[in-house]
Amino acid sequence: MSPQSAVTEEPFRKLALAVGFLAVAVSAFLAHGAPATGYELSIYTMTPGRVWAGLLVAMAIALAIAFIPPSWVGGGKRTGTGSASQTDARLFTSRPLALVLGGLTMVVFAALPLIRGYRFFGNHDALTHLGWARALAEGTIVPFDLYYPGIHTMTAMLNAAVGIPLEQSLLLAILATMIVFWVFIPLCVGVIVSDRRAVVIAAFSSFLLLPITTISMYMTAHAMSQAVLFSALLFFLFAKYLRADRSLATVSAVGGAFALVSVATVVYHPQLIAHLIVVFLGISLVQFLARRIASQGRIASQTPMYGQALFLVVLFLGWTSNHGFFSGMIDYFLSAAIDFVFGDGGGAGDTVAMQGASLGALGSGLGEIFLKLFTVHLLFTLLAAGLILAALGARNSEWLARVRPETLYFAVALVGLGPLFGIYFLAPGSTMYFRVFGLMMVFVTLLGALAIYGLSGSSRLSGGWRESRFVPAGQPLLAVGFALLLLLSLVAVFPSPYTYNPSPHVSDQQMSGYETAFDMQDDEVEIVGLRNGPNRFDDAIHGNEERMRLHFDVPESAFGSGLVDEYDDDRYLVVSQYDYDREVYAYGELRHSDGDFNALENEPGVNRIHTNGEFDRYYIDASMGDA
């Protein structure tokens, strides 16, 4: 097929793209037209099927257009007459639009809580972050009162500038960090290999959202999660900095941007900067050794990171000195080590065992949950490991020589983060090792995208996609492969019963119920609830500078029977639809059964004094326990 005949396919591709953009728009419109009327246990099942169908169509079109260019003889060999550059320009104008379509599809997917009118999306830490954003907006605290005021400051600014409620402003701030990740991961890979096909692969790799695990890394307000996603911008500037002209002006421009983004990153979360110090000190060591061992190599010719690594150290020490964060981390690591050595703490091993036992009681197991959560992570980790081994062992591959410096840098980053992962893993009762894991997945995403690019045959300097009788030009198998990976990954990024978790949806009824409960509370009567719920909602509503820890949980053995015998003084008991659906459906009545909730209505001395359909407040008359 001649270039001219290939160009004739462009109108059909443009029509397909138009259909894709229309599908995204219609999906967003349908989702907005089906707002949540109450608590939803799963955003996947409660979002109308037509919305998912539209998003699937849009992503399928984006994948097809991105990975299957118009066919022509030799997978890019030009025949016939005409300008080759004009032909290339026509053939590849649709590919950037395909990336935009894929990105918009992901934006609509991630923004579904906003589009469907959720009051808020996030529990536990997210509610505390909402309260801090509220305190910033009301002026009761200032940003420097917080360890990591990044998302809270952005939320308050959006609230003031746009005038939307704080809850929606915070969800927009979260979405912004995801967009940063989706934009700068492919741009970082594009800097490393300077090939648009690598950018395409990296873009769809970023859509997998590998740093999000729903275990200590979330799609809700969680400072470390947003900081890790935001770090994609820092790694893009890192790649640019390595290749910057060594003249003072250029180095100052890129280096200045790097330093500025470093400041923004520490504002998002100083713990991430502590981890990045390990990464960049390791990279600096590699560069130092390369200048002495292989002074004519590619690494030696790149701009050294010494100054930027030193700046990160100074920045971290300067920021944390005002908050005691550094000393707190040292105390945490030392106590974790002592507990491990003397056997006082169970560490992650006992936590995993307990979770395994709980999953076993639900008829599941660690193997099933691992496959649901980490299949794609495992595949990309294997790809990254393969690329690292190939880059270290190959000596005659021009493409591997081009990517060897960054491959080695990212490998050093993974090795350096390993001990931190281990320390957190050994800490009793901690799941913070998944924070390190989330950061490691940023490097795995970059390395995995580079590995797929190399395996696809796009690395040939002559250009064009490798072609054989089994793998036709354009690598349509990549489109199919990414389609499967996206389904496997994205079905687990929102908590749902699929992963034995409830959705962290906060409904209007739940929020207003807690607001009423706090407003009408007798100061002498304490509030109790299930799984620390009252404390977090107290934070969200009142904007407490310090996390509220005055409300308590109902003992598991007393809930449903014996509440009046449990307390010497009167109590308020608050129970929401979220509590019921979480315990009965998501957790399969592991702790509390449907009968326990129903028993509240008939237990002597426990009287319901307020309800709005999804939130009930009971008064526990402790004096009835003596009757």
Side-chain angles (χ1 to χ4, degrees), residues 118-452:
Y118 280 17
R119 173 69 176 269
F120 189 60
F121 190 74
N123 276 305
H124 307 299
D125 283 355
L127 289 169
T128 300
H129 289 308
L130 173 61
W132 287 341
R134 190 181 309 282
L136 279 177
E138 294 174 352
T140 56
I141 65 174
V142 296
F144 293 103
D145 291 334
L146 302 175
Y147 290 154
Y148 28 77
I151 57 173
H152 319 93
T153 304
M154 180 181 290
T155 298
M157 292 173 62
L158 286 171
N159 171 253
V162 184
I164 59 177
L166 276 167
E167 293 89 342
Q168 280 70 53
S169 298
L170 182 50
L171 295 182
L172 276 177
I174 298 166
L175 181 62
T177 59
M178 286 189 278
I179 293 174
V180 168
F181 184 77
W182 294 327
V183 169
F184 287 101
I185 286 294
L187 289 180
C188 180
V189 171
V191 170
I192 294 172
V193 296
S194 301
D195 191 314
R196 56 180 168 241
R197 296 179 180 89
V199 173
V200 171
I201 292 171
F204 286 98
S205 298
S206 71
F207 295 161
L208 297 171
L209 285 173
L210 295 185
I212 303 299
T213 61
T214 70
I215 307 175
S216 243
M217 294 293 290
Y218 308 103
M219 296 255 291
T220 59
H222 182 253
M224 190 63 171
S225 299
Q226 279 77 66
V228 167
L229 294 174
F230 181 79
S231 68
L233 173 56
L234 192 67
F235 299 134
F236 163 72
L237 291 171
F238 163 67
K240 293 285 288 184
Y241 185 79
L242 292 175
R243 287 167 172 74
D245 191 313
R246 301 295 290 274
S247 67
L248 179 62
T250 305
V251 172
S252 296
V254 181
F258 190 99
L260 182 63
V261 173
S262 298
V263 173
T265 305
V266 78
V267 170
Y268 267 99
H269 207 305
Q271 187 181 28
L272 176 63
I273 289 293
H275 298 162
L276 291 179
I277 287 173
V278 175
V279 169
F280 286 111
L281 285 179
I283 292 172
S284 298
L285 178 61
V286 169
Q287 291 181 321
F288 177 80
L289 294 176
R291 279 168 169 73
R292 279 147 183 79
I293 298 173
S295 59
Q296 302 302 316
R298 291 179 181 268
I299 293 179
S301 66
Q302 292 183 330
T303 305
M305 292 296 300
Y306 312 147
Q308 296 295 344
L310 178 61
F311 177 76
L312 283 177
V313 173
V314 173
L315 179 64
F316 174 75
L317 294 177
W319 180 265
T320 57
S321 63
N322 294 325
H323 298 286
F325 188 87
F326 184 68
S327 59
M329 286 185 62
I330 293 178
D331 291 342
Y332 176 82
F333 287 146
L334 287 177
S335 63
I338 293 172
D339 289 339
F340 176 74
V341 170
F342 292 99
D344 295 330
D350 287 351
T351 302
V352 171
M354 292 173 57
Q355 294 296 328
S358 298
L359 289 169
L362 297 176
S364 178
L366 291 175
E368 177 189 340
I369 202 68
F370 177 86
L371 290 176
K372 287 181 176 180
L373 290 178
F374 301 115
T375 296
V376 182
H377 299 77
L378 177 60
L379 176 59
F380 261 68
T381 300
L382 293 175
L383 287 168
L387 177 63
I388 292 170
L389 293 175
L392 291 175
R395 290 292 179 266
N396 298 321
S397 171
E398 186 170 350
W399 176 73
L400 286 174
R402 288 169 56 194
V403 301
R404 184 173 291 119
E406 283 73 21
T407 300
L408 183 57
Y409 295 151
F410 296 152
V412 168
L414 294 173
V415 171
L417 292 172
L420 290 176
F421 180 92
I423 291 172
Y424 285 131
F425 189 84
L426 297 175
S430 172
T431 58
M432 284 204 295
Y433 51 92
F434 273 104
R435 295 185 178 187
V436 182
F437 181 81
L439 177 57
M440 294 170 76
M441 284 301 107
V442 178
F443 298 111
V444 167
T445 301
L446 293 166
L447 289 170
L450 289 171
I452 294 172

Side-chain angles (χ1 to χ4, degrees), residues 65-83:
I65 300 300
F67 288 110
I68 310 177
S71 57
W72 69 95
V73 174
K77 295 179 181 179
R78 299 172 178 84
T79 61
T81 59
S83 169

